Amino acid sequence: MPDRSGLPQEVDLVIVFRATSKNTHAKQQTKEEARKAERQYVRLIDTLTYAGLKAVGRRGESLGQLVVFVTCPRNHIEHLVRKERHSDFLSGLPVTPVTRESIVGPLSPADRIRLVHAYIASTPTDGGLGISPGSSEWDLVESITPLHDRNFNEMIREQFGDSVGLYFAFLGSYTKFLAFPAALGSFSYFFLTPYSPLYSILLCVWSVVFVEWWRVRERILSLRFGTRGSFRVEKRRVSYSPGQTWWGREIRILASLPVILLFAGILIAILTFIFVAEAFVTHLYQGPGKQLIGFSPTILFVALVPRVLGLYQALAARLTSWENHSHQSTYNASLTLKTFALSAIVAYMSLGLSAFIYVPFGEGVMRFVQHSLFSGPAVSPKNGGLTSRLIAVLNGTVVQASVATDGINAAKFVPGPKGGLWDMDVDRARQKLNPARLRDQMFAYTVTNQIINTFQEIGLPFIMRFVTNFRNGRNTPKPGSPGGEPKKRVVFEDEKEKGGMEERMYLDKVREEVALPEYSLFEDYSEMVIQFGYVVVWSTIWPLAGVMAFVNNIFELQSDTIKLTVHHRRPIPVRTDTIGPWLDALSFLAWLGALTNAALVYLFSPEFLRTSALPSTVNVLQAKEHLVGASGANSSGTWGVDGSSEETYNATKELLIKAVLVAFAASHGYLILRIVVRHVVERIWWKGSKEVQEREREERIMKERFLEGTGTSVLHSTKSVLEPENEVSPPVETGLGAENKMGFWDHDDGVDEIKRLVKES
């Protein structure tokens, strides 16, 4: 019977079944699809029923969609628990085996859903039914999802499983650790010089400590959750094809590398073009609509980058499926690394171009853009007269005829009286550059973008749902909101719910819930890891980035909970003992932060302006002054001497080469620091942990008791051997031949040999 909210408590899973395609087809094709759907639906219900489950179907949100409610009886749940515990114990997981006489205790909602889903979706080889959305045998099954219980009082892990619980544990730990860079950044911003070496060194140490601490922390959590080593009992993917060699899979993984490099090159080219347009071209435009032209790089970014990423992600998913991973964890790890690599390029490339191209050579690039795009060599009126006059009209210049050295008339551009659409005065190039560009970018990435992301995660889904309900003529309360009657609508006789109004209200909620998007941990992990990169790699530009990240994550803990429980379908619980490839991404960003911080501090810190670390040549000092000024590290806010001029170009290039060498040295320092920190962290938080020692002691006691129950305990056998009454003494032989027949173990010559040594001395 349904409870007060109209939600039957015994429903474990809902299978969404699509009887016909969403696209409109001919009548004959619709009939063929309906016959196929009927056969597969009957087989679905029969398979679930014969397997000991209860299943019943109801009409879905649209024509051709069915929702199948599945529940597992208690005796079958106990059988699944015993089966899993037995498998876990044999595979070495820290669990107590359940015998036939043992009483199975109450399960958490996540464990119950996980067991039922594994039983339904696993392959028959792993003891499941093989009903999965990715199976060719069940191609009409769209999704399998549990229903939300938005009044839950359990912990996140007990409601949503180990993988989600581990993410929230990571988010909470990371937020607490951010208190240090937040405090350090505030102190550095107000009391230290820009690009402070002290801030950068302490930040790099913090990043290594956090990564190594979490490496140990997730092991402790896996012991606490009872999931350490859970990969040993992971079920195989339905789409996995057995028989492939390990080296065949590795070759397929390597075959994805050219595709990754191709799309990385395309993204780099697009982002570089947008960077040049935003940093240089838009500042040279002087014509009508100048304010609107400033938005053109953003429009280009929105129009191009998401489409390239979408195409790449679809291709990456197909490549990862082609790699034929046997388990979902390795599939997710491979797909995560492919996808995050390009996401990191999009996130960090603009800052890299600004730091190492715009600041050192900004004025030279500006002049190059002026010369290349809006002027050119003299051309013949016969060959290039139309082009010459078009450029003249656009730029407000006058074309005058001149005689070239070969006697042929040539076109010469002369600035007109009214000026042009583009500022072509190379002497004013320096005035177009912005010394505060790096700080402005960091503010945009760590403040503006995070506010926009929070709105997109929390506010925008409410608006989109309201618009959808309004367009469909419904006045349905948002999922999880108490009360509220659905708007009355006209229904046909065959559409009426046989269970009355209460069942209709419940089914309306279910239909809305299964229509929600699937929850993905990738987006949440990616957001936090990219934020970690902004703090570790680039916050020496703007030390308050750590403060912004800390404040954002305080709200992120709540916003992610709302997103999980309101805006997405309830995820299938998954057992895991690690955050997987995201830990490798954190380690890589910590290493990259050591390199980048060393280079930024060496190039832009005023503390290295006039020290023995720099040659005392005029050109090098001028180049260094330019770098400090162009990066916004001095209070005057001037651009300084152009780093691309003839006087300082070689000196600037020399400084950049030395910055690479400094970054290379910092890389070795990072490796040494990581070894030391990992050793200390292991000693303090793992080997010195009372919780770990207690878990190991409990596991040993449990195994000893299990061996005692089987009669194979070593303690009992040792005790029986040592007891003297159980020993049977061999018969002692007497007489003259006893000495000659003495056994090997019946006499000792050591004392006699020592006495003989004393006697002979």
Side-chain angles (χ1 to χ4, degrees):
M1 292 294 293
D3 62 4
R4 296 178 184 177
S5 63
L7 191 151
Q9 295 180 353
E10 64 271 16
V11 173
D12 293 315
L13 293 170
V14 173
I15 300 176
V16 180
F17 187 89
R18 170 62 61 179
T20 58
S21 176
K22 297 180 180 180
N23 299 326
T24 304
H25 299 294
K27 187 175 182 179
Q28 182 63 28
Q29 187 174 0
T30 303
K31 289 182 178 180
E32 293 178 358
E33 290 181 350
R35 285 194 292 267
K36 174 186 174 182
E38 183 179 358
R39 292 193 299 269
Q40 191 171 135
Y41 177 79
V42 172
R43 182 160 55 92
L44 173 65
I45 298 297
D46 291 343
T47 302
L48 295 172
T49 304
Y50 292 156
L53 305 174
K54 293 182 180 179
V56 62
R58 292 289 188 273
R59 181 173 51 84
E61 177 67 20
S62 59
L63 181 63
Q65 185 190 66
L66 300 173
V67 287
V68 180
F69 297 88
V70 181
T71 184
C72 185
R74 177 175 176 79
N75 59 342
H76 205 68
I77 279 287
E78 293 180 355
H79 170 72
L80 295 177
V81 171
R82 289 189 174 93
K83 184 179 178 181
E84 183 184 71
R85 297 281 178 85
H86 180 73
S87 174
D88 291 351
F89 182 76
L90 292 179
S91 301
L93 271 69
V95 296
T96 303
V98 179
T99 61
R100 294 182 179 179
E101 294 76 16
S102 303
I103 299 176
V104 178
L107 295 174
S108 67
D111 286 338
R112 180 184 175 93
I113 293 172
R114 178 178 54 79
L115 286 170
V116 178
H117 178 268
Y119 180 56
I120 294 175
S122 298
T123 60
T125 307
D126 289 329
L129 304 179
I131 303 174
S132 175
S135 173
S136 58
E137 186 179 0
W138 302 98
D139 56 326
L140 298 182
V141 174
E142 282 191 342
S143 62
I144 303 177
T145 180
L147 297 177
H148 276 295
D149 178 13
R150 296 187 174 90
N151 298 321
F152 69 92
N153 296 318
E154 298 91 353
M155 300 292 290
I156 290 290
R157 171 181 167 267
E158 295 177 350
Q159 186 72 13
F160 299 102
D162 300 315
S163 59
V164 176
L166 195 61
Y167 164 72
F168 277 91
F170 167 78
L171 178 59
S173 300
Y174 171 52
T175 302
K176 293 177 182 178
F177 263 79
L178 276 176
F180 177 79
L184 178 65
S186 301
F187 178 81
S188 175
Y189 183 79
F190 291 105
F191 300 104
L192 299 180
T193 59
Y195 299 93
S196 169
L198 177 61
Y199 172 81
S200 299
I201 292 173
L202 292 178
L203 187 68
C204 291
V205 173
W206 170 83
S207 66
V208 175
V209 171
F210 169 71
V211 172
E212 297 305 323
W213 178 86
W214 176 255
R215 194 184 302 275
V216 172
R217 178 64 178 173
E218 70 175 11
R219 298 209 307 257
I220 295 177
L221 290 176
S222 66
L223 284 178
R224 187 179 301 173
F225 296 166
T227 59
R228 183 159 174 77
S230 58
F231 63 90
R232 302 191 189 101
V233 294
E234 186 177 357
K235 308 297 183 182
R236 277 166 287 201
R237 300 174 66 239
V238 175
S239 58
Y240 169 67
S241 300
Q244 185 183 20
T245 59
W246 67 268
W247 51 267
R249 183 179 298 108
E250 296 297 327
I251 291 177
R252 290 189 177 188
I253 293 175
L254 290 176
S256 303
L257 187 59
V259 178
I260 298 174
L261 295 178
L262 173 63
F263 276 87
I266 294 174
L267 265 182
I268 290 173
I270 293 175
L271 292 173
T272 302
F273 174 77
I274 293 175
F275 168 78
V276 172
E278 187 272 331
F280 301 104
V281 177
T282 57
H283 293 278
L284 295 174
Y285 182 75
Q286 304 293 330
K290 181 179 180 180
Q291 300 297 329
L292 297 178
I293 291 295
F295 292 102
S296 58
T298 303
I299 297 174
L300 288 174
F301 184 92
V302 173
L304 297 177
V305 174
R307 284 169 172 75
V308 174
L309 285 178
L311 177 62
Y312 170 75
Q313 289 170 0
L315 185 59
R318 297 189 63 178
L319 286 173
T320 309
S321 298
W322 176 66
E323 292 168 2
N324 193 28
H325 293 274
S326 57
H327 298 98
Q328 191 66 33
S329 61
T330 57
Y331 174 89
N332 291 339
S334 179
L335 183 60
T336 296
L337 291 177
K338 292 185 183 71
T339 309
F340 181 74
L342 266 67
S343 299
I345 291 176
V346 174
Y348 305 136
M349 185 175 174
S350 181
L351 280 169
L353 290 174
S354 296
F356 302 111
I357 299 296
Y358 183 86
V359 171
F361 308 110
E363 188 173 348
V365 174
M366 182 73 78
R367 292 174 178 174
F368 174 80
V369 171
Q370 287 177 311
H371 177 76
S372 300
L373 298 182
F374 312 122
S375 63
V379 294
S380 172
K382 295 182 180 180
N383 300 328
L386 180 60
T387 304
S388 303
R389 296 185 181 278
L390 180 61
I391 295 175
V393 171
L394 292 176
N395 292 281
T397 55
V398 179
V399 181
Q400 293 182 351
S402 62
V403 180
T405 56
D406 56 359
I408 301 176
N409 291 336
K412 179 180 179 182
F413 294 103
V414 179
K418 65 174 182 177
L421 298 178
W422 307 95
D423 187 350
M424 300 176 61
D425 187 359
V426 294
D427 295 332
R428 297 177 55 191
R430 185 179 304 180
Q431 301 176 13
K432 302 293 183 180
L433 301 174
N434 179 18
R437 176 179 175 82
L438 283 172
R439 289 198 300 270
D440 293 344
Q441 284 184 291
M442 281 298 298
F443 181 86
Y445 290 136
T446 58
V447 179
T448 308
N449 281 8
Q450 291 188 144
I451 295 175
I452 294 175
N453 289 338
T454 302
F455 171 75
Q456 290 177 340
E457 290 180 354
I458 304 301
L460 186 61
F462 283 118
I463 298 175
M464 297 302 296
R465 191 178 299 118
F466 174 80
V467 172
T468 302
N469 291 336
F470 180 79
R471 291 177 61 184
N472 295 335
R474 293 180 300 180
N475 188 22
T476 306
K478 65 179 184 296
S481 61
E485 293 289 337
K487 185 178 180 179
K488 293 182 179 181
R489 58 186 176 92
V490 178
V491 296
F492 296 100
E493 188 67 26
D494 58 352
E495 292 181 336
K496 291 183 178 179
E497 313 294 353
K498 298 181 176 58
M501 180 58 68
E502 188 176 16
E503 181 175 320
R504 177 190 165 186
M505 292 176 59
Y506 168 64
L507 290 177
D508 284 343
K509 291 181 180 179
V510 172
R511 289 161 187 157
E512 286 187 3
E513 193 167 318
V514 297
L516 293 175
E518 183 180 2
Y519 176 74
S520 174
L521 277 173
F522 174 85
E523 297 177 359
D524 290 333
Y525 272 122
S526 179
E527 181 183 357
M528 290 299 101
V529 173
I530 286 178
Q531 182 199 82
F532 177 82
Y534 283 132
V535 174
V536 174
V537 181
W538 302 106
S539 67
T540 187
I541 297 173
W542 191 56
L544 292 182
V547 180
M548 300 299 107
F550 178 69
V551 173
N552 173 82
N553 285 10
I554 293 176
F555 296 99
E556 189 76 19
L557 288 165
Q558 300 299 323
S559 63
D560 281 350
T561 304
I562 296 175
K563 181 177 71 172
L564 174 63
T565 58
V566 176
H567 297 321
H568 290 81
R569 299 199 301 263
R570 184 174 181 176
I572 299 295
V574 177
R575 287 201 296 181
T576 184
D577 58 353
T578 178
I579 62 175
W582 298 110
L583 184 58
D584 299 328
L586 291 173
S587 300
F588 172 77
L589 290 175
W591 169 79
L592 183 63
L595 272 67
T596 307
N597 277 276
L600 292 176
V601 169
Y602 178 79
L603 291 175
F604 305 144
S605 177
E607 297 185 20
F608 293 108
L609 185 57
R610 296 185 183 275
T611 63
S612 58
L614 293 171
S616 58
T617 61
V618 176
N619 289 342
V620 171
L621 290 178
Q622 288 180 344
K624 181 64 178 179
E625 290 174 353
H626 157 68
L627 292 176
V628 173
S631 64
N634 59 9
S635 57
S636 62
T638 59
W639 189 257
V641 178
D642 178 28
S644 59
S645 63
E646 293 183 3
E647 295 81 7
T648 56
Y649 173 77
N650 291 329
T652 304
K653 184 171 66 172
E654 178 184 345
L655 288 175
L656 292 175
I657 294 174
K658 289 186 176 181
V660 173
L661 297 178
V662 171
F664 182 73
S667 173
H668 288 72
Y670 164 82
L671 296 177
I672 296 173
L673 176 64
R674 188 181 66 177
I675 293 174
V676 175
V677 171
R678 180 173 297 181
H679 176 76
V680 174
V681 169
E682 288 272 350
R683 287 287 182 180
I684 296 176
W685 280 285
W686 179 252
K687 295 182 179 180
S689 172
K690 294 183 180 180
E691 181 179 358
V692 173
Q693 295 172 0
E694 182 66 21
R695 296 280 178 179
E696 293 176 348
R697 188 184 67 84
E698 292 177 357
E699 183 178 357
R700 181 176 180 83
I701 292 175
M702 179 267 295
K703 292 180 179 179
E704 289 177 352
R705 290 177 179 175
F706 178 79
L707 292 176
E708 289 177 2
T710 59
T712 58
S713 175
V714 179
L715 297 177
H716 284 288
S717 60
T718 303
K719 181 179 180 181
S720 62
V721 169
L722 296 179
E723 288 178 352
E725 60 270 16
N726 292 336
E727 281 193 32
V728 179
S729 300
V732 179
E733 185 177 352
T734 59
L736 296 175
E739 183 177 354
N740 296 330
K741 295 183 180 180
M742 187 175 296
F744 180 82
W745 299 103
D746 297 332
H747 66 93
D748 181 84
D749 295 338
V751 176
D752 295 337
E753 186 66 19
I754 294 175
K755 290 181 178 179
R756 190 173 66 85
L757 178 64
V758 176
K759 186 183 298 184
E760 291 182 359
S761 63

